[in-house]
Amino acid sequence: MYDAIIIGSGAGGAPIAHVLVKQNKVVLVIEKGPLIRAQSDTELSQFKRDELISDGVEKVVNINVSNRGQPFYNSHVEPDINDEPHIYKDGNGQDVATIEGYTAQCVGGGTNLYGGVSLRFTPTDFALQSFNAGRSLKNDPNGDVERECRNWPYDYNTLLPFYERTEEVIGINGTSANQLKPWNEDKYLRSLQPNPISIYAFDGMTKLGNQLNSSNPAKPYRTPLAVITEDHLPSGRKVPTDAESIKTSYVNRYGDPLGFKSSTWVSLLSPIEKLPNLTIKPNCVVTHISSQNGKVNKVFYLNPDGTPQEAEGKIVVVACSAIESVRLLKVSALLNQDFDQRINQNNLLGKYFLTHAFGGASGLIPNRVDKSVALDSDWATDCCNNDKFLKDAGLWAGATIYNNTSDSALPLSLFRTKDAMDLDMLWKGLQYDMNLRGDKITDFLDKNFGRRLSISYMANQVPQFNNRIDLHSSIKDKWNRPVAYINKSWHSHDIALMDTIAKNCGEVLRLAGMTEIGFGSSYGAVNGLIRIANHVLGGARFGTAENDSVLDMNCRAWHFDNLYVTDGSFMPTSGSGNPTHTIEANSFRVADYLLTIL
């Protein structure tokens, strides 16, 4: 029997495996996707430069949904839509198949492909119920925010040492100065030189900070990025003598074949891979788990060749990313009465599904620069992420604003992402713009290539009971399990918040002297209802009361002795920045707790 079985190897699972294995616990990590190694002296990496483009011939959706017959491509780190779709209900009440919600299926999960932006949440993010008590907010006539919002069961200071541990052990570069969050020890690696285009972001953010609060303006800081810029002792990774040479826009949204991006594979699992008490099983699908008298007794999975297997552990950690974790728990409940009665006791599993409210603005600079020599982002600001701003603007929660240095850095990516806001929309801008041909292609490149700069934000989405993950009644995956069925809408206050922050993103560009500025937010996308992107959160929120949460404050499922859920599904609110850093920090926190009971 294993001390711990961990299902999923990304931000929610790998920190726990790392801590337990280093304390001599016997751990099994099961991952649905392959193990893709970084390049070594003797072997090239299997990561390809096509993670979000294609890995083969065009395919067609053949599921009985409204977008049946539409073409798609799938990559070597994402499932085929026909094999394992996520289904959502669109504004017309029709079912649509999507690839959204799958960042990557490989050892290290989505941390292999994300841009690496690693922002801490603010103290207010952990206490939004208290902060909004008695407040009158924009576009919230029924008081939904105050009624539905929950404080986290711990505060910022509780997570602070785990933020610091994550920054040190994962390998994150950035600057702490000017961040409007409490700080103890600065564990960041140094930042590399910003790309020349980012001077416009710095200038506009500085001016916006003064405009919003002249007596105490928020100032820009270097965006924390999970990319090593110096030799990293905890993982044994090294950078070239000329560290500036590692800058490449391929780090953003692609697997990094050189291992500079701090995925949980290269930073946490690879350094302990050869220890005898760790077993990693890639290309293995967990089909369900079972329990008896409140104790998870077996994990059922399929070997790469499809052979059924079983495993037993003293504890079981589910960390498949929010949608797939909720689906696994719901599928397990269909097959085991004890599991069903316990996990569904309060009818909250799958409810309060969250993403981020996000969007931004883009504009043109006067001259052209080479954006390919960059990482994901250079500058960020908390000027729209402090209590004064929220009270002045009538908003329930704030947002971190940062620039996207590396987006559309190459002509191919500029065309691929034209008018796209998510994975489902790649390449479709060309389909919609039939006039983009001949000389107009040259004109498009002359105008946009190396001149377009975008400013983005991430903000909390208002929790809603009816935003939920269910099991679809008829559509099954290739293993004959019900697929995830996502029902989601935007609250009217979400829209007010997104409009306000997006306009401030546009103001950053205007104040910097840029032209042809446009702004928008996720609710306005073609598939604006779904807009789950890669930030899938909630659905199994943690809390202090059994009747009001799925998990306790240590992420243990209520009414189970040994079942834990540690991906983003534990979050009761989605935070004011990219979630990976907080998921990792919380996982380190849970790992320390597990050491006390194993």
Side-chain angles (χ1 to χ4, degrees), residues 459-478:
N460 284 273
Q461 180 187 7
V462 173
Q464 298 183 76
F465 179 83
N466 286 327
N467 280 355
R468 64 192 189 274
I469 303 163
D470 295 319
L471 297 179
H472 200 279
S473 60
S474 60
I475 300 176
K476 307 290 181 67
D477 65 17
K478 66 179 180 180

Side-chain angles (χ1 to χ4, degrees), residues 315-389:
I315 64 167
V316 173
V317 177
V318 177
C320 313
S321 84
I323 294 174
E324 287 301 297
S325 286
V326 169
R327 178 166 80 115
L328 176 61
L329 297 175
K330 284 182 170 285
V331 167
S332 300
L334 293 177
L335 301 173
N336 183 272
Q337 186 177 15
D338 181 76
F339 197 94
D340 179 29
Q341 291 176 343
R342 294 173 184 279
I343 201 69
N344 288 314
Q345 192 164 124
N346 60 10
N347 193 34
L348 283 179
L349 179 63
K351 307 303 193 297
Y352 296 105
F353 172 62
L354 297 163
T355 62
H356 268 119
F358 66 101
S362 67
L364 297 177
I365 66 170
N367 302 307
R368 197 181 317 279
V369 301
D370 183 0
K371 293 179 63 178
S372 69
V373 185
L375 298 178
D376 184 49
S377 175
D378 284 323
W379 295 102
T381 177
D382 291 332
C383 64
C384 294
N385 201 19
N386 59 82
D387 293 356
K388 180 183 184 305
F389 171 81

Side-chain angles (χ1 to χ4, degrees), residues 315-595:
I315 64 167
V316 173
V317 177
V318 177
C320 313
S321 84
I323 294 174
E324 287 301 297
S325 286
V326 169
R327 178 166 80 115
L328 176 61
L329 297 175
K330 284 182 170 285
V331 167
S332 300
L334 293 177
L335 301 173
N336 183 272
Q337 186 177 15
D338 181 76
F339 197 94
D340 179 29
Q341 291 176 343
R342 294 173 184 279
I343 201 69
N344 288 314
Q345 192 164 124
N346 60 10
N347 193 34
L348 283 179
L349 179 63
K351 307 303 193 297
Y352 296 105
F353 172 62
L354 297 163
T355 62
H356 268 119
F358 66 101
S362 67
L364 297 177
I365 66 170
N367 302 307
R368 197 181 317 279
V369 301
D370 183 0
K371 293 179 63 178
S372 69
V373 185
L375 298 178
D376 184 49
S377 175
D378 284 323
W379 295 102
T381 177
D382 291 332
C383 64
C384 294
N385 201 19
N386 59 82
D387 293 356
K388 180 183 184 305
F389 171 81
L390 300 183
K391 292 174 181 178
D392 290 345
L395 300 180
W396 84 295
T400 305
I401 291 175
Y402 58 92
N403 75 299
N404 290 305
T405 312
S406 62
D407 59 328
S408 303
L410 301 172
L412 183 64
S413 62
L414 185 63
F415 282 110
R416 173 173 60 86
T417 58
K418 182 182 185 299
D419 299 331
M421 294 187 70
D422 51 63
L423 302 184
D424 289 339
M425 297 297 294
L426 295 177
W427 295 111
K428 290 192 176 180
L430 298 181
Q431 176 182 327
Y432 297 149
D433 189 354
M434 299 302 292
N435 291 320
L436 194 61
R437 59 182 185 267
D439 289 343
K440 292 184 178 179
I441 293 178
T442 303
D443 294 341
F444 174 79
L445 286 172
D446 282 343
K447 179 179 180 179
N448 292 279
F449 183 59
R451 295 184 57 208
R452 186 160 293 280
L453 176 66
S454 60
I455 306 291
S456 295
Y457 69 85
M458 296 288 167
N460 284 273
Q461 180 187 7
V462 173
Q464 298 183 76
F465 179 83
N466 286 327
N467 280 355
R468 64 192 189 274
I469 303 163
D470 295 319
L471 297 179
H472 200 279
S473 60
S474 60
I475 300 176
K476 307 290 181 67
D477 65 17
K478 66 179 180 180
W479 298 286
N480 202 36
R481 302 180 303 165
V483 302
Y485 191 28
I486 302 154
N487 282 273
K488 178 177 178 288
S489 65
W490 293 108
H491 190 276
S492 56
H493 186 72
D494 290 329
I495 295 173
L497 182 152
M498 286 188 268
D499 286 346
T500 300
I501 305 298
K503 288 178 180 177
N504 276 295
C505 291
E507 191 70 358
V508 169
L509 302 179
R510 187 191 70 80
L511 291 169
M514 295 175 59
T515 61
E516 297 194 33
I517 298 166
F519 57 86
S521 295
S522 48
Y523 74 87
V526 173
N527 60 350
L529 276 183
I530 190 63
R531 282 313 303 129
I532 54 181
N534 304 327
H535 297 186
V536 288
L537 310 165
R541 71 183 185 189
F542 72 165
T544 57
E546 294 181 21
N547 65 348
D548 194 46
S549 54
V550 178
L551 312 171
D552 70 12
M553 73 170 296
N554 291 314
C555 293
R556 179 183 61 86
W558 294 110
H559 313 295
F560 288 87
D561 293 336
N562 62 339
L563 176 62
Y564 297 80
V565 184
T566 56
D567 53 42
S569 56
F570 81 89
M571 292 187 179
T573 52
S574 47
S576 60
N578 308 51
T580 302
H581 188 19
T582 298
I583 296 171
E584 290 170 335
N586 181 70
S587 293
F588 278 118
R589 183 190 67 87
V590 172
D592 281 3
Y593 166 75
L594 293 176
L595 285 176

Side-chain angles (χ1 to χ4, degrees), residues 253-267:
R253 302 186 183 98
Y254 292 88
D256 175 18
L258 299 179
F260 298 131
K261 181 158 60 175
S262 296
S263 72
T264 57
W265 160 243
V266 297
S267 60

